């Protein structure tokens, strides 16, 4: 898959992760999109390292989307934990 496909999957995975984990985020839509892109890459890497499968088969494969969404959920949760304590008065 090309870089454009990765960006598109990441953007959509970020939106899906945000829908699955609703709540107030310290960042806006841009941060959520960037987390989605990075989460897609993280999910693909974790699938390969932990399960030994090639979870990045193609744009329309279910394993690709599941890996990207799980990676996005992990990063979104970490982002909330790290930045959640920073409250502005």
């Amino acid at each position: 898959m090309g870089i454009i496909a990765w960006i598109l999957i990441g953007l959509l995975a970020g939106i899906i992760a945000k829908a699955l984990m609703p709540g107030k985020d310290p960042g806006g839509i841009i941060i959520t999109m960037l987390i989605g892109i990075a989460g897609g890459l993280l999910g693909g890497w974790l699938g390969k390292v932990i399960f030994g499968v090639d979870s990045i088969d193609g744009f329309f494969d279910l394993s690709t989307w599941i890996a990207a969404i799980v990676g996005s959920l992990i990063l979104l949760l970490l982002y909330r934990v790290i930045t959640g304590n920073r409250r502005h008065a």
Side-chain angles (χ1 to χ4, degrees), residues 3-83:
I3 191 71
I4 301 297
W6 270 113
I7 292 172
L8 183 59
I9 286 174
L11 293 174
L12 294 173
I15 292 168
I16 293 168
K18 175 70 174 152
L20 292 174
M21 262 173 64
K24 193 160 189 159
D25 287 327
I29 186 96
I30 302 295
I31 297 296
T32 302
M33 288 181 191
L34 293 174
I35 287 172
I37 293 169
L41 295 172
L42 174 69
W45 179 76
L46 285 175
K48 189 166 201 129
V49 169
I50 294 173
F51 300 113
V53 297
D54 189 17
S55 58
I56 313 304
D57 292 332
F59 188 83
F60 294 107
D61 284 342
L62 184 61
S63 63
T64 300
W65 286 93
I66 290 172
I69 292 168
V70 168
S72 297
L73 285 169
I74 291 169
L75 287 184
L76 184 58
L77 178 67
L78 286 174
Y79 180 71
R80 285 183 181 180
V81 166
I82 291 170
T83 62

